[in-house]
Amino acid sequence: MGHAKLDSKWGYTSPGGLLRYPEEPPFPVKEYDAHYDHIFEMMEELEAKGEILIHRITEEHQPVPVYTRTGRIKLIPTNKLWHHKSCGQCGNIPGYPASVFWFMNKFGLDYLNEPHQTSCTAWNYHGSGTSNPVALAAVWLRNMHQAWKTGYYPLIHCGTSFGSYKETREQLIMNKELRDAVKPILKKLGRLTEDGRIVIPQEIVHYSEWVHAMRYRIAELYQKEGKAKGIDVSNVRVAIHNACHTYKMIADDYPYDPEVFNGQRPAASTAVMQALGAQVVDYSTWYDCCGFGFRHILTEREFTRSFAIQRKLKVIYEEVKADVIITHDTGCTTTFEKNQWIGKAHGMYYPVAVMSDVMFAALACGAHPFKVVQLYWNCSSYEPLLEKMGITNWRELKKEWEDTVKYIAELEKAGKYDQLMEFFKEYDLYEPYSRTSTGKPKASATANMPLFKS
Amino acid sequence: MEGHPYGYNIPISEKTKAVPWEEKVRVIEEVKSDFRFKEYLFGCLNCGVCTASCPSNRFFDYSPREIVQRFLEEDVEVLYDMMHEYIWACSQCFTCWIRCPFVNNPGGLVAIMREVAVRNAFEATKDLLKPYGRVLLKVMTTGNQLSADMLQPDFFPDWGPKMADNMENLRAKRMAIPFDVGKSVKTAWEVSLETAIEMYTIWRETGIFEMLEKLDPNLYNVIMDIVEENEERYQELYAEEE
């Protein structure tokens, strides 16, 4: 099934333009048009009253419709996106955002990747309680205002940011007291519209939804470039782990699809694996969280590793013999990745490769496993998976990456900055530069980084 | 009374017993007065689905059902006692929320309880969050919660030997990422100074700095030094530009 079938089902459109329904619900849903949609109706009302401005998805964003749990059609913008980065991904799993950018460059999509944003700060809140809903709302609205100001549509990289932002949106729409509390702060920051309105995006969109919406184009790229390199994922057994904060927080606002487990599982991540032709395997604890726990991964690690090993890794390894666990959130990836080795101490070692959907998809489409997908950072055993996928030259590719790192380190140690700059000029040309909100390309994506100034 | 006749298996602590009744009522009322409270608690079948699916329930003496039930029964003594340590077992996964037939949100109730416990500077909160100081320092000052240099192998020996490899030539590895993301070591990405200043304003206006001062005065001082230094730097740059 391609996009055309979905397009033909765009039936009723609400007066404000935010709600879209198929003529018939695509799969059995309870109260199919009655549950979460009031939020969107209220957004329209608040906009009409001049309280908020809806940052709308337009044609230039090349939206793709996807079904959510209630049958509502959510528009996923695929172009002209403002990357709301994830502190966990950028800080700890750089191949994760790099793979997203790699795809966007491959597809020739327009995007903005800039420093004028904070993380959502919700990990801190869930872990330590040292924030409050007004602060969380202010941080979110500040970041969303920045996206709106640049003319690019926000794409949220992190699962927790996505969940927190969906929840914050609902709280803001439903509670005048929260809107009243946050408005003076935004005014002080210069983060209201000229006529004093809060900017709220039409849809809050997670990167996994973008991958989901782009799955057929990714599959085409796989056929065209991945297979040509001898890569074949058809014999790879894939276990999907959906992140709690993507689909358990504001559960109705995440993709479900009749072709993915009959609409009984979240569709993102699974659908792209199916489109690539990998073998998606189901397992009994699919519903469980990873054990991350926010504060637990730092301060109660015995819980995190016990849960990760006993409830997920062991089950996935023994029950379905998966080659890889596919995730779509930093916390889950880190938890599964980093809590395997310790299992050896108790004879509970279940070595399964772990990576995000976009990292796996990039590998399938021929991205460099170390330079782009950055598997060098992974603690799980990804090597057998690479062999199975047909990426048998991974040793040479790893050496190429290691030599590059060594070369950079030596030049920096010797203080040969001019030489380093020259190297990066060529090296960065590997992919087009990302742009800043001024619209001007950076002279060199790397040369301007603060590393060189310290 | 030790524990609770209906199933809260933890004896009420001496700490809780020593607190005047009015104070306990005040704290619980503070939780209940949060605007989210009425959105998180509707009613309860006592079916236990939340607890059955709760990851923390598998490894801790912790039950989201207990929390919902105690609020419905207005069991001030137990609720106050839960706010010392009990609620910190929750892993904030919100499985309870999606599973509850009434769409209660026990994980959300815990979020409010934690916030109130921190705001009221509960001793247990201070102890429990001590190891969390690194994240607090990072998020309050830079706007990022996690950076590459935080995953030191000596802090995470249980994560295995590959962690040590990851930290070797860390700066060079970050520089070698051929995209303009994640190149910095001390932050996840380069957060612009003006953005950090906006965030400090949010912390000030929403009482987060005050909250932190009560929780950990030493950490607060370190954070404020960095904040004030950045604010001065920003003022200087602003003056130069003008």
Side-chain angles (χ1 to χ4, degrees):
Chain A
M1 185 179 80
H3 293 152
K5 194 176 167 189
L6 282 170
D7 287 340
S8 70
K9 285 202 169 186
W10 284 28
Y12 169 68
T13 303
S14 69
L18 293 189
L19 292 178
R20 286 189 174 85
Y21 301 101
E23 284 157 10
E24 289 172 19
F27 42 92
V29 286
K30 200 177 166 187
E31 297 178 66
Y32 122 86
D33 60 357
H35 188 51
Y36 188 60
D37 304 344
H38 63 285
I39 293 298
F40 299 94
E41 285 157 7
M42 287 176 78
M43 274 169 63
E44 287 168 3
E45 284 168 21
L46 287 174
E47 188 177 51
K49 282 183 196 163
E51 272 215 56
I52 68 168
L53 181 145
I54 300 172
H55 184 178
R56 287 173 190 271
I57 296 167
T58 62
E59 284 304 310
E60 69 174 345
H61 301 116
Q62 298 172 16
V64 172
V66 302
Y67 293 124
T68 61
R69 200 171 73 146
T70 54
R72 182 180 80 88
I73 289 178
K74 181 173 183 176
L75 291 182
I76 305 301
T78 60
N79 188 39
K80 210 165 182 207
L81 296 168
W82 186 84
H83 287 272
H84 184 295
K85 288 175 273 193
S86 152
C87 53
Q89 283 171 24
C90 289
N92 183 223
I93 319 170
Y96 203 145
S99 297
V100 176
F101 288 116
W102 183 81
F103 270 119
M104 291 203 169
N105 289 337
K106 279 278 175 196
F107 296 135
L109 297 171
D110 188 8
Y111 62 84
L112 193 59
N113 170 30
E114 61 159 14
H116 305 301
Q117 57 181 284
T118 66
S119 67
C120 63
T121 73
W123 177 25
N124 170 54
Y125 182 63
H126 290 295
S128 77
T130 49
S131 190
N132 59 42
V134 183
L136 290 170
V139 169
W140 174 50
L141 292 168
R142 183 251 161 243
N143 285 336
M144 293 305 100
H145 181 274
Q146 174 64 16
W148 170 75
K149 208 173 77 172
T150 64
Y152 285 72
Y153 197 87
L155 181 74
I156 315 296
H157 281 211
C158 173
T160 286
S161 305
F162 175 66
S164 172
Y165 286 172
K166 283 194 295 183
E167 191 183 30
T168 301
R169 173 179 64 182
E170 182 163 344
Q171 288 168 358
L172 270 166
I173 299 302
M174 300 294 286
N175 296 281
K176 190 176 182 310
E177 60 181 302
L178 183 58
R179 292 198 299 278
D180 288 346
V182 84
K183 266 193 174 182
I185 300 167
L186 294 170
K187 193 179 177 187
K188 203 166 187 174
L189 300 177
R191 292 293 179 181
L192 293 172
T193 61
E194 279 183 11
D195 56 356
R197 290 187 282 172
I198 293 170
V199 177
I200 293 182
Q202 174 181 335
E203 298 281 7
I204 297 170
V205 184
H206 188 235
Y207 95 85
S208 67
E209 296 177 306
W210 180 86
V211 175
H212 178 59
M214 295 294 286
R215 62 195 183 278
Y216 300 113
R217 289 186 69 182
I218 290 171
E220 277 170 22
L221 189 65
Y222 164 59
Q223 293 294 335
K224 194 179 151 201
E225 295 194 13
K227 282 215 164 178
K229 286 186 179 179
I231 300 168
D232 182 3
V233 299
S234 63
N235 62 343
V236 176
R237 293 173 66 80
V238 177
I240 306 287
H241 170 78
N242 295 290
C244 296
H245 283 200
T246 59
Y247 81 106
K248 291 176 187 169
M249 288 183 84
I250 313 295
D252 292 344
D253 197 356
Y254 197 59
Y256 284 71
D257 190 284
E259 296 197 350
V260 176
F261 293 112
N262 295 319
Q264 300 301 307
R265 304 271 197 282
S269 298
T270 301
V272 71
M273 294 301 129
Q274 288 175 339
L276 288 167
Q279 297 173 27
V280 178
V281 290
D282 200 11
Y283 60 104
S284 58
T285 56
W286 71 273
Y287 202 86
D288 269 332
C289 84
C290 62
F292 179 72
F294 297 88
R295 87 184 185 90
H296 295 64
I297 192 141
L298 291 173
T299 64
E300 302 273 358
R301 291 215 293 278
E302 62 280 20
F303 164 81
T304 295
R305 61 196 180 213
S306 299
F307 194 88
I309 292 170
Q310 292 182 35
R311 292 292 297 177
K312 298 294 285 198
L313 294 165
K314 182 178 193 286
V315 177
I316 288 167
Y317 188 85
E318 289 183 346
E319 205 175 89
V320 292
K321 297 182 174 41
D323 299 304
V324 61
I325 301 173
I326 292 296
T327 58
H328 53 229
D329 181 59
T330 326
C332 316
T333 315
T334 304
T335 302
F336 292 144
E337 258 273 294
K338 306 288 194 268
N339 288 292
Q340 292 191 9
W341 182 83
I342 190 69
K344 285 180 180 175
H346 294 283
M348 297 180 78
Y349 184 49
Y350 307 109
V352 188
V354 183
M355 64 189 71
S356 69
D357 48 6
V358 74
M359 290 162 80
F360 182 88
L363 282 175
C365 295
H368 196 297
F370 302 99
K371 197 171 178 182
V372 176
V373 186
Q374 295 274 316
L375 285 179
Y376 192 86
W377 297 84
N378 286 35
C379 288
S380 60
S381 304
Y382 53 79
E383 297 88 350
L385 173 71
L386 293 182
E387 291 281 348
K388 202 166 183 182
M389 290 172 78
I391 307 171
T392 51
N393 61 339
W394 62 267
R395 286 179 190 82
E396 294 99 271
L397 297 173
K398 190 172 182 180
K399 190 170 182 314
E400 186 194 318
W401 160 256
E402 285 172 344
D403 288 347
T404 304
V405 170
K406 219 177 279 176
Y407 181 67
I408 295 169
E410 281 166 9
L411 287 184
E412 206 201 9
K413 201 176 171 189
K416 295 180 179 172
Y417 293 110
D418 291 343
Q419 213 174 321
L420 203 47
M421 296 301 172
E422 283 306 307
F423 171 75
F424 276 119
K425 258 186 209 167
E426 293 298 314
Y427 185 77
D428 275 354
L429 285 174
Y430 182 76
E431 298 299 338
Y433 303 139
S434 47
R435 291 184 291 174
T436 68
S437 55
T438 62
K440 292 175 192 165
K442 282 188 175 182
S444 162
T446 307
N448 288 341
M449 294 310 293
L451 278 171
F452 289 95
K453 294 172 188 164
S454 58
Chain B
M1 181 176 69
E2 292 295 310
H4 191 278
Y6 306 127
Y8 179 67
N9 295 321
I10 301 168
I12 302 293
S13 68
E14 293 303 319
K15 245 185 258 177
T16 296
K17 285 179 190 168
V19 174
W21 175 255
E22 294 74 21
E23 172 62 7
K24 286 182 263 203
V25 171
R26 183 193 67 76
V27 168
I28 299 307
E29 285 303 317
E30 193 177 328
V31 174
K32 288 171 69 180
S33 67
D34 189 288
F35 75 96
R36 294 165 293 175
F37 188 83
K38 61 181 184 302
E39 293 167 17
Y40 288 168
L41 184 60
F42 301 97
C44 179
L45 294 169
N46 219 346
C47 68
V49 160
C50 55
T51 296
S53 58
C54 171
S56 294
N57 176 261
R58 291 183 182 277
F59 292 94
F60 294 110
D61 193 350
Y62 170 79
S63 159
R65 185 190 64 85
E66 284 285 351
I67 291 172
V68 169
Q69 283 290 311
R70 297 310 143 223
F71 270 115
L72 290 172
E73 291 181 4
E74 302 197 327
D75 200 336
V76 170
E77 191 85 354
V78 169
L79 286 166
Y80 189 89
D81 200 59
M82 283 174 164
M83 286 175 66
H84 293 307
E85 287 182 15
Y86 190 84
I87 52 171
W88 293 95
C90 168
S91 52
Q92 291 283 286
C93 68
F94 298 104
T95 307
C96 50
W97 187 10
I98 196 175
R99 294 295 293 268
C100 175
F102 268 41
V103 204
N104 290 320
N105 183 353
L109 295 175
V110 166
I112 304 173
M113 291 166 90
R114 285 181 178 181
E115 196 187 305
V116 171
V118 171
R119 203 157 53 222
N120 284 277
F122 274 42
E123 280 305 313
T125 303
K126 293 179 185 177
D127 296 339
L128 280 159
L129 294 181
K130 271 257 155 23
Y132 205 77
R134 295 184 325 144
V135 175
L136 282 169
L137 174 68
K138 192 67 77 175
V139 71
M140 296 279 171
T141 57
T142 72
N144 281 170
Q145 297 167 131
L146 184 69
S147 55
D149 66 350
M150 285 167 78
L151 300 182
Q152 294 294 338
D154 56 347
F155 194 79
F156 297 96
D158 52 327
W159 285 8
K162 275 194 177 179
M163 290 296 293
D165 288 348
N166 283 350
M167 288 301 122
E168 198 184 334
N169 285 331
L170 181 61
R171 283 167 61 88
K173 281 185 187 129
R174 303 292 288 179
M175 284 187 267
I177 303 166
F179 296 90
D180 194 8
V181 291
K183 286 178 183 294
S184 57
V185 171
K186 292 179 178 175
T187 47
W189 65 84
E190 181 196 6
V191 177
S192 69
L193 185 58
E194 58 266 45
T195 300
I197 300 297
E198 283 185 53
M199 192 188 57
Y200 301 155
T201 307
I202 293 172
W203 297 151
R204 277 207 174 86
E205 295 289 322
T206 54
I208 305 303
F209 281 142
E210 284 169 43
M211 200 183 214
L212 187 66
E213 189 177 13
K214 280 192 204 169
L215 180 74
D216 189 337
N218 291 333
L219 181 63
Y220 169 79
N221 287 334
V222 174
I223 287 172
M224 290 318 287
D225 282 348
I226 298 169
V227 166
E228 283 159 15
E229 194 184 308
N230 280 341
E231 283 174 339
E232 278 170 29
R233 194 153 63 93
Y234 181 70
Q235 289 301 333
E236 283 166 18
L237 289 171
Y238 191 69
E240 271 175 32
E241 266 188 30
E242 282 198 332

